[in-house]
Amino acid sequence: MSGKIVLHYFNGRGKMESIRWLLAAAGVEFEEVFLTKREQFEKLNNDGALMFNQVPLVEIDGMQLVQTKAILNYIAGKYNLYGKDLKERAMIDMYVEGLGDLMDLITVLAFLPPDNKQKQLAKIESKAKDRSLQLFEKALAHGQFLVGNQLSRADVLLLEITLMLQELVPEILSTFPKLQEFQGRMKAIPTISKFLQPGSARKNPPDEAYVKTIKEVLSHLFK
């Protein structure tokens, strides 16, 4: 195993995108191996790289890490994006878990039949406006960051999700000035600014080709 960080996933967002975001925010370079065929997934599994028969898979520090939360926790801890003590870590975890509920609603959208997408979109908008965005607007009234006085994985995830929400509902932050200010500050961080530029490892919103590839590679999940 090389010393470089290697991500094994599809050429799209999914569960790997937050990992890309966190590494990018930390200023860490990585390589990607894109799964396009069922045989690639089977080889990883047969080689023992996928403990739970799932991707994402991240090769880092001589380990083959799976399970998205475990990967994100490791990266956050390694690169000082996980608070200064256990109390801050608990707060970060609460924010991240709450954002994860919203992320799950967004992620599934691409896999729904056309007739169900509008209903799901309405559910996403309602949950965001009525609960999540209000909570984070209030949290940001007390400082530049969600927890303590330094950047954490919670901030990075909040930026990622608010940008995704704006792709779906462009004016969704219009009544949330603190979140708009937060986005501006985050986008000004050099490592994040670089990740937001064309040609970076940031992935586009999922399209039909992405969904088709996932269904072919992970065919056992779509029977």
Side-chain angles (χ1 to χ4, degrees):
M1 191 180 297
S2 70
K4 293 184 178 180
I5 296 175
V6 182
L7 316 184
H8 297 262
Y9 200 67
F10 308 96
N11 188 11
R13 290 181 178 176
K15 292 182 177 296
M16 186 65 86
E17 189 71 352
S18 293
I19 297 168
R20 297 184 187 105
W21 264 98
L22 200 58
L23 288 169
V28 179
E29 295 185 358
F30 54 86
E31 297 178 354
E32 297 197 70
V33 176
F34 297 127
L35 304 180
T36 60
K37 299 180 184 301
R38 174 73 183 174
E39 291 75 20
Q40 291 173 279
F41 177 82
E42 290 177 342
K43 185 177 188 310
L44 286 173
N45 206 34
N46 292 335
D47 289 347
L50 306 179
M51 183 182 292
F52 296 102
N53 193 28
Q54 296 173 332
V55 288
L57 165 67
V58 175
E59 296 183 43
I60 182 172
D61 293 342
M63 299 183 292
Q64 293 176 318
L65 294 184
V66 294
Q67 295 296 316
T68 308
K69 290 180 182 178
I71 296 168
L72 288 166
N73 287 347
Y74 184 82
I75 292 169
K78 179 178 174 68
Y79 296 108
N80 196 30
L81 293 167
Y82 214 170
K84 72 179 188 318
D85 55 31
L86 282 174
K87 288 184 177 180
E88 286 196 357
R89 182 171 292 192
M91 289 300 301
I92 290 167
D93 285 343
M94 284 197 293
Y95 284 134
V96 167
E97 289 294 318
L99 285 167
D101 293 339
L102 190 55
M103 177 69 86
D104 289 342
L105 294 178
I106 297 172
T107 301
V108 78
L109 187 62
F111 294 88
L112 294 176
D115 293 346
N116 294 343
K117 286 189 177 182
Q118 197 58 41
K119 182 178 179 181
Q120 181 76 358
L121 184 58
K123 184 177 180 181
I124 292 168
E125 184 176 1
S126 175
K127 182 176 177 64
K129 284 184 175 180
D130 298 342
R131 295 183 60 188
S132 300
L133 296 181
Q134 290 186 26
L135 183 153
F136 288 101
E137 180 78 3
K138 183 178 179 180
L140 289 167
H142 306 294
Q144 292 193 346
F145 304 107
L146 287 172
V147 179
N149 58 4
Q150 66 182 37
L151 182 71
S152 77
R153 59 177 295 205
D155 299 302
V156 179
L157 182 59
L158 179 59
L159 177 62
E160 179 190 0
I161 288 182
T162 54
L163 290 174
M164 292 171 71
L165 286 171
Q166 287 176 308
E167 291 172 346
L168 299 171
V169 186
E171 301 302 319
I172 198 165
L173 296 186
S174 61
T175 58
F176 299 99
K178 292 296 182 184
L179 278 166
Q180 293 177 50
E181 293 171 8
F182 168 79
Q183 277 193 340
R185 291 194 302 271
M186 291 291 287
K187 289 177 180 179
I189 296 172
T191 53
I192 291 176
S193 177
K194 181 180 179 181
F195 190 60
L196 291 171
Q197 299 305 310
S200 78
R202 186 185 179 206
K203 306 307 179 201
N204 293 322
D207 56 17
E208 290 183 7
Y210 168 74
V211 172
K212 181 181 178 182
T213 299
I214 288 183
K215 288 184 175 181
E216 290 176 353
V217 175
L218 303 180
S219 57
H220 60 288
L221 300 178
F222 294 92
K223 292 180 179 178

